[in-house]
Amino acid sequence: MSSTSLPKKKLLRVLQGHSEAVPPIWLMRQAGRYLPEYRATREQAGGFLDLCYSPELAEEVTLQPVRRYGFDASILFADILLIPQALGQDLWFETGEGPRLTPIENADSLSRAGVMIHLAPICETVARLSKSLPEETTLIGFAGAPWTVASYMVAGRGTPDQAPARDLAARDLAAFQSIIDMLVAATIDYLEAQALAGAEVLQLFESWAASLEGDEFERWCVAPVAAIIQGLRARGIDAPIIAFPRAAKTHMGAYCAAVGCDGLGLDTSADIAAVRAEVGDDMVLQGNLDPQILVRGGAELETAIADILAQIDNTPHIFNLGHGIVPQTPPAHVSRLIALIRGDETA
Ligand code: 1CP
């Protein structure tokens, strides 16, 4: 890939296929409970969903980690489960337990009619951020990939193995397909709106890719993500798109070619050099430091970072974790991580 004028933002340069001596860095869930200022704003909002739907407060928590650490990117503060709620499914968060939805078995009770009205506050957060972020910081919008989102819609909660969704897909393929189709259409509208509001990069989170293999992986993980990316391109949205099929048991070269992503997120189990050999020189990779090593810090953190930097070796790569940062992470370890990446030995 080449371009006549290189983007000013480091993350966007890398997403055009350029390697950088010091890779750009951001962390999944970089706004979150490990930061005292996040906990304070969440308290002020009243609840997690109130925080997501308040453009002013969601903007504030998105900016907090950028202010504190100077990350190269910020990710919109929202959640992958806002789409089911926008489609008409009940969603709430049980304190200390996570999301709950009233389980569904088909798309009969869902409607696309109000989706973009419901999600308008999220697009307003994006618009505010595109004005308030520092000029070197890239704004990332996101959505969940349909299989992952549907797994919560069918089970009504997070599950270790996504058995309820796998079971529905096996029992009543047409019913499950109707939920996936609804999600594909709504996600294209939603990501298009985020891009038009100012999101410069889009990421699709497929957190539960590991529960499907073979034809089922093709049908429920590959085809819907390919359809979303194609749909966005057909509408003229040219923002780079990062797909993150966490722990997928598939050939990554084939996955990238089939979905048409510009970047690929790697979970903690991935071997960067082996994936690079599979996907070729142009695909941008992202990840994959173990969030638990960031919790422990010390010499182990230094070794793990040096190891990743050695494997990146002049290829287009975005430094990140292999999954979201956990609430137990000491904020000082994040400062240390950034100093080590950027070679600032005084930190
Ligand atoms: O404050 C709190 O207690 C809520 C914790 C929290 C946060 C900070 C949740 C609940 N969601 C979020 C924000 C969030 N979620 C972001 C914001 C941007 C950032 O990264 O800083 C993003 C991108 C997500 C995406 C998300 N939500 C995913 C995909 C990534 C992943 O972690 O695998 C998933 C699976 C969810 C669902 C969800 N939302 C929240 C929780 C605890 C969960 C997981 C529930 C489960 O599986 O049991």
Side-chain angles (χ1 to χ4, degrees):
M1 270 180 272
S2 68
S3 118
T4 41
S5 69
L6 277 181
K8 291 209 170 57
K9 301 184 182 191
K10 185 181 268 196
L11 195 100
L12 294 179
R13 285 201 298 275
V14 167
L15 279 163
Q16 286 196 356
H18 298 273
S19 63
E20 292 279 327
V22 174
I25 175 171
W26 68 280
L27 303 181
M28 289 185 278
R29 293 272 176 106
Q30 66 190 22
R33 279 177 293 167
Y34 75 109
L35 289 179
E37 59 269 37
Y38 168 82
R39 296 195 297 268
T41 311
R42 187 187 190 284
E43 186 88 359
Q44 189 190 338
F48 174 68
L49 288 174
D50 300 304
L51 180 53
C52 291
Y53 289 114
S54 159
E56 208 174 312
L57 297 180
E59 176 193 24
E60 167 58 21
V61 291
T62 307
L63 290 171
Q64 285 168 351
V66 176
R67 261 186 226 130
R68 195 189 256 259
Y69 300 114
F71 285 119
D72 292 289
S74 80
I75 183 160
L76 162 70
F77 190 85
D79 196 81
I80 65 165
L81 299 176
L82 302 185
I83 282 207
Q85 192 182 37
L87 287 166
Q89 197 172 4
D90 286 332
L91 168 71
W92 68 102
F93 279 77
E94 296 281 344
T95 316
E97 285 194 43
R100 293 289 183 273
L101 303 97
T102 309
I104 56 163
E105 294 239 314
N106 53 54
D108 294 355
S109 59
L110 306 178
S111 161
R112 269 178 73 199
V115 167
M116 289 319 298
I117 295 168
H118 187 94
L119 296 171
I122 312 303
C123 297
E124 196 187 322
T125 306
V126 174
R128 295 176 73 108
L129 283 163
S130 73
K131 296 197 193 87
S132 56
L133 276 169
E135 59 178 17
E136 66 277 12
T137 314
T138 301
L139 179 53
I140 303 177
F142 75 93
W147 160 252
T148 292
V149 178
S151 76
Y152 288 91
M153 296 170 81
V154 174
R157 58 191 297 163
T159 50
D161 53 6
Q162 296 73 60
R166 279 166 35 215
D167 180 54
L168 177 62
R171 269 189 294 122
D172 192 342
L173 190 141
F176 191 67
Q177 185 77 56
S178 71
I179 299 174
I180 293 287
D181 291 348
M182 183 75 89
L183 286 170
V184 168
T187 304
I188 293 170
D189 290 344
Y190 183 39
L191 289 178
E192 177 190 34
Q194 289 185 33
L196 295 176
E200 300 165 287
V201 173
L202 302 170
Q203 177 153 327
L204 282 160
F205 285 90
E206 186 77 278
S207 302
W208 299 118
S211 53
L212 298 179
E213 289 181 65
D215 290 347
E216 292 188 312
F217 180 79
E218 295 296 319
R219 183 186 278 268
W220 306 123
C221 289
V222 175
V225 170
I228 290 169
I229 296 178
Q230 247 168 37
L232 288 165
R233 297 304 182 227
R235 291 188 192 180
I237 301 299
D238 59 6
I241 299 176
I242 301 172
F244 178 36
R246 184 163 70 88
K249 298 171 188 140
T250 192
H251 189 281
M252 285 303 160
Y255 176 84
C256 291
V259 302
C261 58
D262 306 283
L264 177 72
L266 302 180
D267 62 90
T268 51
S269 69
D271 175 330
I272 293 177
V275 176
R276 173 57 70 198
E278 282 180 22
V279 299
D281 293 341
D282 289 341
M283 180 56 56
V284 179
L285 298 179
Q286 173 174 279
N288 67 341
L289 181 69
D290 186 340
Q292 295 302 332
I293 296 181
L294 190 58
V295 174
R296 293 194 292 271
E300 192 189 357
L301 177 63
E302 288 182 28
T303 310
I305 293 169
D307 187 42
I308 291 175
L309 291 177
Q311 290 190 67
I312 291 175
D313 187 28
N314 245 353
T315 59
H317 195 107
I318 299 165
F319 202 99
N320 205 319
L321 300 173
H323 199 188
I325 191 167
V326 296
Q328 300 75 23
T329 310
H333 291 184
V334 178
S335 306
R336 181 75 185 136
L337 163 68
I338 293 188
L340 287 163
I341 300 288
R342 295 188 176 154
D344 177 7
E345 283 310 320
T346 55

